């Protein structure tokens, strides 16, 4: 090869290496026979680096349960600096307290109770929402009765502490504007709650009060038109609201009628839209199965049952209704709605009735009734998982817990002395707290429930003289 051809070859080699993205380094002092190191410098094409920001992602929420107004901490990655960004809870914009690329703090906006999605939006990017449980404040609402029916009654509002202890609010009691009489054993159904729509319902001797529950402090305020006072109407002993909150059922006891009131979007009711169904006079509590399919009401020794039409709330009496039963003043459906348990106070027994899943017809549970050691079983309250129930013993001033077997049979497990003449009671939705009213003792007792039993959660709350508590509902538990 000639010198010219050799030089031309070297030039072509260098050009090829440069085009291939290789850098040839030849030190000035190197001998022409020395080996040449070739280093890859990468693609020399004019590609631009990808500057698209990484998508935002949420990793956790703290706390997992909140009430309106609480501070919620949102943790994640690639959350930006908050410029042009937003946070919603249940579709409602939240006020931002602080924002960083990994942590956002917001104030929980005014949304209804339930599992609500939390979504962070950065420009066109929105996170897949984690959910937070929005609850009402932990409260016990106690309906107060009176021996003087000319007096408008109220509702005592008690804060329920983390340990189950009770403290009455400074704003308690709330005036409902309609009176209620003194009921033997209380009227466990004259107070009902619809947590999903933040409403409390109360029935009195001549009317109904419907209250909105404040989501921040649990105080009450009448909905438009409340109280709804009726003329020429007999005592209204008990009521219940169906799932969905659109149908209210009230016993006009002296008139022998179970009345259906449709509930408007603002919580109000109208007598023009009401429909009455005949039942035995002096019926008290109303019971709606959890699925809203059946409605039952008791009246001493008789029990009426109705099939409910979900779309309209209309009722049709079940074949075989009414049924003759032992005299009772307090019944409760188990959490699945498959059985109804009642206290037969004169016979010192608890009996149970099986609910047919399609017809709603009632038949006595095998092995029922069960004798109790106490005297005057008058009210029944269930643990939310259905494994236990508590029975108030009116005459012996006790509360007894029973284990509930898979076949519905009962076995006593623990008895505690309690307030004077215990009557209506309620168990929190998380199964941690039992609240029992002492009707003639004019007091409220609370108990902490454990896996093995229940024990006092603190001092009883003493109510005003002459208040005769008749019903209790709990809110803010999950």
């Amino acid at each position: 090869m000639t010198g010219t051809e050799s030089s031309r070859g070297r030039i072509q080699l260098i050009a090829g290496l440069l085009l291939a993205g290789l850098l040839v380094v030849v030190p000035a002092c190197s001998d022409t026979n020395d080996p040449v190191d070739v280093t890859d410098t990468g693609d020399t094409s004019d590609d631009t680096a990808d500057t698209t920001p990484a998508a935002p992602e949420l990793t956790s929420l703290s706390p997992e349960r909140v009430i309106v107004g609480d501070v919620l901490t949102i943790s994640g990655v690639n959350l930006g600096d908050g410029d042009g960004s937003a946070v919603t809870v249940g579709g409602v914009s939240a006020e931002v307290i602080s924002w960083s690329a990994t942590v956002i703090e917001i104030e929980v906006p005014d949304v209804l109770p339930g599992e609500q999605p939390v979504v962070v939006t950065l420009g066109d990017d929105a996170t897949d929402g984690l959910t937070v449980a929005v609850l009402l404040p932990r409260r016990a609402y106690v309906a107060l009765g009176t021996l003087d029916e000319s007096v408008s009654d109220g509702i005592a509002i008690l804060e329920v502490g983390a340990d189950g202890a009770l403290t009455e609010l400074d704003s308690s009691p709330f005036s409902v504007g309609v009176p209620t009489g003194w009921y033997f054993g209380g009227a466990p159904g004259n107070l009902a709650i619809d947590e999903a729509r933040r409403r409390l319902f109360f029935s009195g001797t001549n009317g109904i009060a419907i209250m909105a529950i404040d989501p921040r402090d649990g105080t009450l305020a009448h909905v438009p038109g409340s109280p709804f006072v009726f003329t020429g109407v007999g005592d209204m002993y008990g009521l219940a609201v169906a799932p969905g909150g659109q149908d209210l059922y009230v016993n006009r006891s002296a008139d022998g009628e179970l009345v259906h009131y449709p509930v408007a979007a603002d919580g109000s009711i109208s007598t023009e839209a009401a429909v009455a169904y005949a039942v035995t006079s002096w019926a008290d509590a109303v019971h709606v199965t959890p699925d809203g399919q059946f409605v039952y009401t008791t009246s001493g020794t008789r029990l009426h049952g109705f099939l409910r039409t979900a779309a309209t709330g209309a009722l049709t009496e079940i074949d075989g209704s009414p049924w003759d039963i032992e005299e009772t003043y307090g019944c409760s459906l188990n959490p699945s709605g498959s059985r109804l348990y009642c206290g037969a106070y004169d016979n010192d027994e608890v009996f149970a009735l099986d609910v047919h899943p399609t017809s709603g017809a009632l038949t006595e549970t095998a092995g029922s009734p069960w004798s109790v050691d106490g005297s005057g079983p008058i009210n029944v309250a269930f643990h939310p998982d259905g494994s236990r129930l508590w029975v108030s013993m009116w005459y012996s001033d006790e509360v007894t817990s029973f284990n509930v077997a898979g076949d519905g049979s009962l076995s006593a497990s623990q008895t505690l002395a309690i307030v004077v003449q215990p009557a209506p009671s309620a168990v929190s939705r998380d199964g941690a707290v039992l609240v029992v009213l002492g009707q003639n003792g004019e007091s409220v007792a609370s108990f902490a429930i454990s896996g093995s039993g229940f024990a006092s959660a603190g001092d009883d709350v003493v109510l005003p003289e002459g208040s005769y508590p008749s019903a209790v509902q709990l809110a803010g538990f999950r």
Side-chain angles (χ1 to χ4, degrees):
M1 179 182 295
T2 66
T4 302
E5 291 173 337
S6 176
S7 297
R8 185 182 299 117
R10 290 192 184 99
I11 292 170
Q12 290 174 341
L13 173 62
I14 292 170
L17 291 172
L18 288 172
L19 288 174
L22 300 175
L23 175 63
V24 179
V25 182
V26 182
C29 61
S30 65
D31 186 272
T32 55
N33 293 321
D34 289 342
V36 177
D37 292 332
V38 180
T39 305
D40 185 356
T41 61
D43 189 359
T44 59
S45 62
D46 188 22
D47 287 346
T48 6
D50 187 3
T51 59
T52 305
E57 181 182 350
L58 305 187
T59 55
S60 66
L61 303 175
S62 180
E64 296 178 346
R65 302 175 184 181
V66 295
I67 66 172
V68 171
D70 277 355
V71 174
L72 178 66
T73 300
I74 305 168
S75 299
V77 294
N78 307 318
L79 301 180
D81 59 6
D83 187 27
S85 305
V87 180
T88 60
V89 179
V92 178
S93 295
E95 180 180 343
V96 175
I97 299 171
S98 65
W99 195 305
S100 74
T102 56
V103 177
I104 303 170
E105 288 186 324
I106 63 166
E107 180 180 308
V108 178
D110 189 355
V111 293
L112 292 174
E115 292 289 337
Q116 299 289 3
V118 177
V119 178
V120 176
T121 303
L122 281 69
D124 295 331
D125 290 327
T127 61
D128 292 332
L130 299 179
T131 59
V132 64
V134 179
L135 306 177
L136 290 175
R138 289 164 57 110
R139 299 289 183 264
Y141 296 96
V142 179
L144 306 179
T146 179
L147 291 176
D148 182 355
E149 294 188 8
S150 67
V151 178
S152 290
D153 296 312
I155 294 175
I157 308 173
L158 311 178
E159 179 181 355
V160 185
D163 59 357
L166 303 175
T167 306
E168 189 166 9
L169 299 190
D170 291 340
S171 59
S172 174
F174 174 81
S175 177
V176 295
V178 291
T180 182
W182 178 89
Y183 302 134
F184 171 70
N190 78 324
L191 196 63
I193 194 166
D194 177 10
E195 288 198 67
R197 275 149 287 276
R198 304 191 306 213
R199 291 181 187 141
L200 191 69
F201 301 81
F202 172 92
S203 59
T205 55
N206 66 347
I208 299 167
I210 303 176
M211 287 74 62
I213 301 173
D214 189 287
R216 295 175 182 266
D217 60 15
T219 56
L220 302 174
H222 285 286
V223 303
S226 178
F228 304 92
V229 179
F230 310 122
T231 56
V233 171
D235 290 339
M236 302 179 118
Y237 270 15
L239 82 171
V241 61
Q246 298 176 345
D247 299 303
L248 180 67
Y249 300 94
V250 184
N251 266 326
R252 291 203 301 231
S253 300
D255 300 328
E257 293 176 332
L258 175 63
V259 184
H260 168 222
Y261 293 94
V263 181
D266 62 0
S268 62
I269 59 174
S270 168
T271 54
E272 287 76 14
V275 178
Y277 302 88
V279 295
T280 305
S281 297
W282 304 111
D284 42 52
V286 183
H287 310 277
V288 181
T289 53
D291 61 4
Q293 189 176 7
F294 307 116
V295 178
Y296 300 97
T297 182
T298 54
S299 175
T301 59
R302 309 204 84 186
L303 194 157
H304 290 260
F306 297 86
L307 179 66
R308 174 176 171 269
T309 302
T312 64
L315 302 180
T316 303
E317 191 151 14
I318 296 169
D319 288 345
S321 172
W323 296 273
D324 292 328
I325 58 174
E326 294 186 67
E327 188 167 13
T328 181
Y329 280 85
C331 297
S332 181
L333 284 161
N334 66 356
S336 67
S338 62
R339 290 190 180 95
L340 185 70
Y341 289 76
C342 304
Y345 67 94
D346 273 344
N347 296 333
D348 293 338
E349 294 175 337
V350 175
F351 64 90
L353 302 167
D354 292 339
V355 178
H356 191 280
T358 56
S359 71
L362 301 177
T363 54
E364 189 160 14
T365 301
S368 171
W370 299 274
S371 297
V372 300
D373 291 335
S375 179
I378 201 166
N379 182 258
V380 178
F382 265 95
H383 191 280
D385 68 7
S387 66
R388 285 185 284 175
L389 61 80
W390 286 263
V391 179
S392 301
M393 306 294 179
W394 174 266
Y395 294 124
S396 57
D397 298 339
E398 297 170 327
V399 169
T400 298
S401 64
F402 291 83
N403 295 321
V404 184
D407 62 0
S409 59
L410 303 180
S411 57
S413 62
Q414 183 183 0
T415 296
L416 289 181
I418 200 171
V419 293
V420 178
Q421 291 183 322
S425 58
V427 178
S428 60
R429 289 178 62 186
D430 62 357
V433 178
L434 168 69
V435 174
V436 183
L437 306 184
Q439 190 175 34
N440 281 3
E442 297 167 342
S443 59
V444 185
S446 66
F447 299 86
I449 300 172
S450 65
S452 58
F454 66 114
S456 175
D459 295 336
D460 297 351
V461 172
V462 178
L463 300 171
E465 185 177 354
S467 57
Y468 299 102
S470 61
V472 58
Q473 290 286 347
L474 302 180
F477 295 86
R478 176 179 178 270

